[in-house]
Amino acid sequence: MSVLVTGGAGYIGSVTAEALRARGREVVVLDDLSTGHRAAVPDGVSFLRGSAGNAALLGDLLRRREITSVMHFAARSIVAESVADPALYWRINVDETLALLGALREPGIRHFIFSSSAAVYEGGEGTALSEKSPLAPGNPYGATKAAVERALADFSSAYGMRAVSLRYFNAAGATSSHGEDHRPETHLVPLALRAARGEGGELDLYGTDYPTRDGTCVRDYVHVSDLADAHVLALEALEAGYPGGALNLGNGRGFSVREVIETVEDVTGRRVPVREAPRRPGDPGTLVAGSEKAREDLGWRPRFAAIREIIASAAAWMETHPGGYGPAGPGPAEGGA
Ligand SMILES: NC(=O)c1ccc[n+]([C@@H]2O[C@H](COP(=O)([O-])OP(=O)(O)OC[C@H]3O[C@@H](n4cnc5c(N)ncnc54)[C@H](O)[C@@H]3O)[C@@H](O)[C@H]2O)c1
């Protein structure tokens, strides 16, 4: 019995693959390495390089390996890129997911865990978002996540599969072996840490006129290991008969961009050079999670709720991995899963 992890060479997928291995699960990673790294795939995990929507490859893989559940991380996830090229996002995030779901129907794979996002929400002005808050994605990226969630709900009613959509807020932090290495990097914590190290010049601060306490965007940062734990708990819940649905994953506390920068300065003892820039299209002012449902339904308890601890773990990984996972590029073609 194996768990198929699409996107397991990426940031959150690789940490989750590691958490699954630590629980003694067999794991197969399927990743096209478009934004991930072969070196991020944990030891003891089978790796297959390919697209998550490749029906022929999936059919073969599902026949050869005893896959009983799927965690689907593979996606594009840069909001500004989705605004500039929505076709790319609908193709990769929606078409490929539908192809994956199609391939899972015949062998009757019933447990599916989907990487959704806070971007499905309209965004509030202070109050924490619950799963009942209105879904009104402000950008194509969020719209593709909402579309897949809807497809999963329909597939669950019609085909007897059970799916959990985990709506992550802002993933951050690192384990001792795995950290954040997006190329290009668009996430605040690694960008601020790099700027503090004197790499990459000034940090762009997008928008200082939001209706927040200091005018900068407020986000809810959740440690990547806590996200990984939630996936393991969701899988165990589905296996025990949990009906599925959407769950927020966040800490329930928002930090402004300026507060994150100050914490990075405090943790590193170095100044972060900042350049103020206009708002980016599609960025809501405040996104903070109410995660009571994940706590109640899954028994999830974030272990790293303090922003300082989250940032310190990311800083430590950057110290030990100054070049991230190494040179960019997919490396030689591989099979073997
Ligand atoms: N990082 C965050 O803060 C955050 C927040 C909310 C939701 N999410 C979602 O979580 C998931 C993982 O995010 P991440 O930050 O780890 O991203 P990531 O880019 O590090 O990982 C994505 C992985 O998927 C792979 N991939 C992309 N398209 C693929 C395809 N068509 N076929 C096979 N592999 C493919 C990439 O090579 C990469 O390894 C994404 O679905 C993202 O939308 C992330």
Side-chain angles (χ1 to χ4, degrees), residues 28-168:
V28 179
V29 162
L30 172 63
D31 197 299
D32 66 2
L33 299 181
S34 52
T35 61
H37 311 273
R38 178 64 183 89
V41 179
D43 291 340
V45 166
S46 308
F47 174 68
L48 181 65
R49 188 167 140 208
S51 153
N54 182 332
L57 184 150
L58 284 163
D60 180 55
L61 179 69
L62 297 172
R63 262 190 306 279
R64 284 190 296 108
R65 299 292 302 245
E66 213 187 319
I67 309 275
T68 49
S69 34
V70 176
M71 294 188 181
H72 183 43
F73 295 89
R76 290 295 183 124
S77 54
I78 301 177
V79 167
E81 186 182 50
S82 81
V83 173
D85 191 358
L88 178 75
Y89 275 67
W90 283 91
R91 181 168 63 73
I92 292 180
N93 293 4
V94 178
D95 290 357
E96 294 219 11
T97 303
L98 293 177
L100 169 64
L101 289 171
L104 301 182
R105 273 186 63 196
E106 203 211 319
I109 291 167
R110 304 230 171 275
H111 305 147
F112 194 89
I113 299 175
F114 172 58
S115 300
S116 189
S117 167
V120 297
Y121 294 115
E122 190 172 18
E125 297 308 347
T127 50
L129 295 156
S130 91
E131 290 79 0
K132 294 198 176 108
S133 299
L135 297 194
N139 52 67
Y141 166 64
T144 64
K145 293 291 181 183
V148 170
E149 281 199 16
R150 175 59 204 247
L152 288 173
D154 291 346
F155 278 45
S156 297
S157 316
Y159 307 134
M161 96 186 289
R162 279 177 290 122
V164 174
S165 293
L166 295 175
R167 295 176 182 159
Y168 324 150

